[in-house]
Amino acid sequence: GETAVFETKVDGYPIPKVIWLLNGKPLTPKDGAQIEMNAPTGDAKLTIPKVDLQQHAGSVTCRLENVHGSQEETVHLNVLAAPLIVTQLPKQEETVSGKDVTLRVVVRGSPRPDAEWFFNDIMMTSANSSYDEEKSEYQLLLKEPTVASSEGTYRVVLISELGEADSTPCVLTVLEPVKLTKIGPTSEVVDLKVGEPFEFLADIDGKEAPKVQLTKDGKEVKFTSVEDMRHIYSIHEVRPEHQGVYKLTAKNKTSSEETSVTLNVTAPLDVSQPLSDIHVLLGQPGTLTLTCDAFPVPKVTWSVNYILIT
């Protein structure tokens, strides 16, 4: 923000041409530089008003040229500035449990400020912090983060002799993959008779909370009850229509898990209406009727006088 002034005396005949350069690039009034040359006295002057850390810091060169040769002198312009955060920490950051994550903040300042990192407002004494000089980026590496040790609020304070800057806080959320534990049944295939009970139980955990779906032969069915992690689907008395493949799927941002069980329902053969004798007039149709309950549906064969009808 202050004004930088460079003055020098030059001599030569013919009067040399004076060229001012900043970091090797010629300066002109278009760059905001004020260039003055008093030929009779040989006084050359460069004025840079309101110096900027990014635009003006570096090497300033005064080059003289005439037909007999050239000469130049170089000095360094140090622009002092209190720490200024150019790119803040993100307000929210997510990572998966066990997966390294790096928090980054871009800061301008001269001399280069020191960084103090804080976790839940407690200064981190053994932080894996580093500085990328090319990007002016301060970094904090969190290795193998967990919910217990790493989830919380982070911030960084940049300090130099000219002042300090405090970053916005960053809330780190540590996600955990889905954990699906089938409690029952213990086998993948269950055979039950009509009227017996069936229960499908599983404990499901994860962060973020997993989306859980239960399907029967591809069509969604509702759980009987959900209590915390425990998901229960129960049938008090199974019937033939309950037979099928039940698949439980749980997924969140980090992973997906599934388990399934095949329910087979059987019913013993029970003849509720047996065959009975009938009397039919010659040439007229006659119908014999048998009623039975069974699942799966039984195979029925007919015979006359012990001869199979095909």
Side-chain angles (χ1 to χ4, degrees), residues 109-307:
S110 180
R112 194 185 92 188
D114 295 323
E116 294 181 352
W117 289 91
F118 291 81
F119 173 53
N120 292 335
D121 289 329
I122 299 174
M123 190 166 72
M124 304 172 67
T125 56
S126 59
N128 291 319
S129 58
S130 60
Y131 177 72
D132 187 328
E133 189 169 356
E134 182 179 350
K135 299 178 182 178
S136 299
E137 185 177 78
Y138 291 79
Q139 303 174 353
L140 176 66
L141 173 62
L142 301 174
K143 295 184 69 65
E144 300 180 353
T146 64
V147 174
S149 66
S150 310
E151 190 168 83
T153 302
Y154 293 81
R155 63 184 178 90
V156 59
V157 179
L158 292 309
I159 303 171
S160 78
E161 60 193 49
L162 299 176
E164 64 180 55
D166 196 339
S167 74
T168 56
C170 172
V171 178
L172 176 66
T173 301
V174 180
L175 303 177
E176 294 182 323
V178 173
K179 183 179 180 181
L180 191 159
T181 305
K182 186 170 77 169
I183 307 301
T186 56
S187 61
E188 295 183 358
V189 179
V190 176
D191 296 319
L192 295 177
K193 295 179 180 179
V194 170
E196 291 183 329
F198 170 72
E199 195 168 54
F200 192 2
L201 296 88
D203 285 343
I204 301 170
D205 196 12
K207 191 178 180 186
E208 60 181 357
K211 180 182 178 181
V212 183
Q213 185 183 51
L214 177 65
T215 61
K216 173 184 173 290
D217 297 333
K219 294 183 179 181
E220 186 173 4
V221 295
K222 292 184 178 181
F223 288 98
T224 307
S225 66
V226 177
E227 299 176 3
D228 296 328
M229 297 188 301
R230 180 65 53 90
H231 292 66
I232 303 173
Y233 177 74
S234 61
I235 303 171
H236 295 300
E237 296 181 353
V238 297
R239 298 188 300 273
E241 59 265 28
H242 294 134
Q243 177 170 290
V245 178
Y246 292 81
K247 184 167 74 172
L248 178 60
T249 305
K251 61 181 178 180
N252 63 11
K253 287 183 179 180
T254 63
S255 66
S256 177
E257 295 286 339
E258 65 178 41
T259 185
S260 63
V261 60
T262 299
L263 173 62
N264 295 321
V265 179
T266 60
L269 189 61
D270 178 30
V271 179
S272 56
Q273 180 182 331
L275 290 174
S276 59
D277 296 338
I278 62 172
H279 302 279
V280 183
L281 293 174
L282 182 65
Q284 295 299 311
T287 302
L288 295 171
T289 303
L290 174 74
T291 303
C292 66
D293 294 323
F295 190 81
V297 177
K299 179 182 178 182
V300 179
T301 57
W302 292 89
S303 63
V304 177
N305 297 325
Y306 304 104
I307 298 173

